[in-house]
Amino acid sequence: VSSMAPALLILLGATVILQTDSLPDENVVLLPPVNFTIKVIDLAQVLLCWEPNPDQEQRNVQLGYHVKINAPEEKDYETRNTESRRVTILHKGFSASVQTILWNNHSFPASSWVSAELEVPPGSPGTSIVNLTCTTNTVAYNYTHEKPYQVSLHCTWIAGKDAPEDTQYFLYYRYGFVTQECQEYSKDTQQRNIACQFPRTVIKSKGRDWLAVYVNGSSKEAAIKPFDQLFALHAIDQVNSPMNVTAEIDRTCLSIQWEKPLSAFPSHCFDYEVKIYNTRKGYFQTEKLKTNTFISIIDDISKYSVQVRAAVSSVCRPTGLWSEWSQPIYVGNDKQKPWTEWFLIVLMAATCFILLIVSLICRICHLWTKLFPPVPAPKSNIKDFFVSINNEKTGSSETEVEVISYAEEAGLETLEASVF
Ligand SMILES: *[C@@H]1O[C@H](CO)[C@@H](O)[C@H](O)[C@H]1NC(C)=O
Ligand SMILES: *[C@@H]1O[C@H](CO)[C@@H](O)[C@H](O)[C@H]1NC(C)=O
Ligand SMILES: *[C@@H]1O[C@H](CO)[C@@H](O)[C@H](O)[C@H]1NC(C)=O
Ligand SMILES: *[C@@H]1O[C@H](CO)[C@@H](O)[C@H](O)[C@H]1NC(C)=O
Ligand SMILES: *[C@@H]1O[C@H](CO)[C@@H](O)[C@H](O)[C@H]1NC(C)=O
Ligand SMILES: *[C@@H]1O[C@H](CO)[C@@H](O)[C@H](O)[C@H]1NC(C)=O
């Protein structure tokens, strides 16, 4: 390398001298490039190649090329190379043109155009898939591995309306230089593949390359038109929900905390949205945040449900989708009495009710009298009672038993009255 450096310097010096002392001759005419070809080099990727015209006078001039993509989407750019790689869909065909220009003088007349094109791939109309949608999701792979995160890919589509019943579709994706075929299809009622799941892919979580997805098919009855589509990762990435959401109420402070979602992006890359639902008043409060905590002042005795969602912020990549809301966390109370108090009240009511039933049954079946057979010669009215009390002075043991018996019956009646 070191021996090449002086050589390069000399060459550069030579070009500078050539350029400065020779403005393009008025007689120079630019000729179009030759052998312009478009080659499919990969899924949804082409290489445009051409050669400088062999008759083009190249002394004293710096040639460049103006490339114009005509289909599927118009685009034009300039280059000094004689080849150019393009990532593009191909199911609508592809066509491009190129002309020779003077690199350092754009007002100098350019050459005529040469064009080339790729045909629309063959297949019967209406047989290719429609409504292809794909989403990616970051999954934990292996924490001990140097790549702890992997990206999964899920795509769904609908069979073409004119696709024969025996049609079978096959999906491939390409990311960077790697192309993989789907291994896990879901089928429709006619056993045609209509969805695909890649639990793991070579897609880089933080990558900025296009994701190319290609679906072709086969059938005995018709040629199935292939379909391809390019996806920007930020637009289809289904971000995971924030983790470990916790909420607690301390007097009038509702404080909520969470952790960043499972993701290859670091903490500072996330925007959050917190949703607090007041179940008593029935209203939502939502807040956009960049932090991992949120404290809200509450003046209401109520039960709150708290949810958080995340999105990768524009600081780290173009704006994409919000994650799903996290599972709701409930805090606070919308009832004045805690459940233990309610439990005691219910328990007491149940006890009284059982006692009442028992006493009713006893009465109906005269169980009472059976269980406590009347003492000999029971007195039947209060008058007698007083009589017996008066007799007490006489000190007969018989009257003493009688008094106890009355007292018990009265006690039971008091209990019954308190139930109602
Ligand atoms: C153009 O292609 C033809 C045929 O492939 C070849 O003979 C010729 O050398 C090519 N011209 C240039 C300038 O490469
Ligand atoms: C660029 O080309 C135009 C047209 O030939 C010529 O008039 C002009 O002098 C050239 N400018 C330079 C800086 O070479
Ligand atoms: C497919 O997508 C088109 C356009 O987005 C929509 O109008 C159509 O309803 C979709 N078809 C089905 C079956 O979802
Ligand atoms: C995780 O990766 C390490 C290193 O590559 C490997 O030894 C280990 O078996 C992997 N564990 C799992 C659960 O895949
Ligand atoms: C579908 O495309 C893949 C990849 O280009 C190719 O290998 C396969 O043969 C194609 N299948 C059909 C049925 O065209
Ligand atoms: C979330 O909480 C669980 C258990 O509470 C813990 O094991 C885990 O490490 C926490 N997650 C993060 C990202 O800290």
Side-chain angles (χ1 to χ4, degrees), residues 45-75:
Q45 194 164 37
V46 291
L47 183 66
L48 315 184
C49 291
W50 60 90
E51 299 291 339
N53 194 304
D55 299 332
Q56 178 69 55
E57 190 182 347
Q58 292 201 40
R59 280 186 310 115
N60 306 350
V61 292
Q62 251 187 319
L63 295 181
Y65 303 95
H66 178 192
V67 182
K68 205 162 79 181
I69 311 291
N70 308 308
E73 248 173 27
E74 285 191 10
K75 184 168 176 80

Side-chain angles (χ1 to χ4, degrees), residues 381-397:
N381 57 39
I382 298 289
K383 214 175 177 182
D384 292 335
F385 176 68
F386 282 113
V387 170
S388 60
I389 283 176
N390 291 340
N391 290 347
E392 214 176 339
K393 282 171 187 158
T394 60
S396 91
S397 62

Side-chain angles (χ1 to χ4, degrees), residues 295-358:
I295 294 176
S296 177
I297 304 299
I298 50 167
D299 51 0
D300 223 11
I301 296 167
S302 175
K303 195 168 173 185
Y304 294 89
S305 104
V306 174
Q307 286 175 288
V308 189
R309 64 179 184 176
V312 178
S313 84
S314 53
V315 174
C316 297
R317 75 166 178 199
T319 314
L321 310 167
W322 282 101
S323 72
E324 296 284 310
W325 288 103
S326 61
Q327 290 298 310
I329 303 285
Y330 295 96
V331 278
N333 270 300
D334 46 4
K335 299 181 184 78
Q336 301 301 319
K337 296 184 197 306
W339 71 271
T340 42
E341 219 169 291
W342 280 109
F343 179 74
L344 281 178
I345 289 167
V346 169
L347 190 71
M348 275 160 66
T351 314
C352 294
F353 185 71
I354 289 163
L355 281 175
L356 170 69
I357 297 292
V358 168

Side-chain angles (χ1 to χ4, degrees), residues 257-312:
Q257 296 192 4
W258 59 90
E259 279 156 29
K260 85 167 179 92
L262 179 84
S263 169
F265 283 101
S267 298
H268 75 265
C269 285
F270 287 94
D271 287 339
Y272 298 102
E273 209 169 79
V274 175
K275 183 165 73 177
I276 302 168
Y277 179 64
N278 180 326
T279 56
R280 195 168 66 83
K281 288 193 174 165
Y283 74 77
F284 287 102
Q285 176 192 359
T286 55
E287 298 287 338
K288 277 202 163 64
L289 301 153
K290 292 199 170 289
T291 56
N292 284 52
T293 56
F294 177 64
I295 294 176
S296 177
I297 304 299
I298 50 167
D299 51 0
D300 223 11
I301 296 167
S302 175
K303 195 168 173 185
Y304 294 89
S305 104
V306 174
Q307 286 175 288
V308 189
R309 64 179 184 176
V312 178

Side-chain angles (χ1 to χ4, degrees), residues 43 170 172 214 216-218:
L43 221 126
F170 306 100
Y172 304 79
Y214 173 79
N216 60 11
S218 67

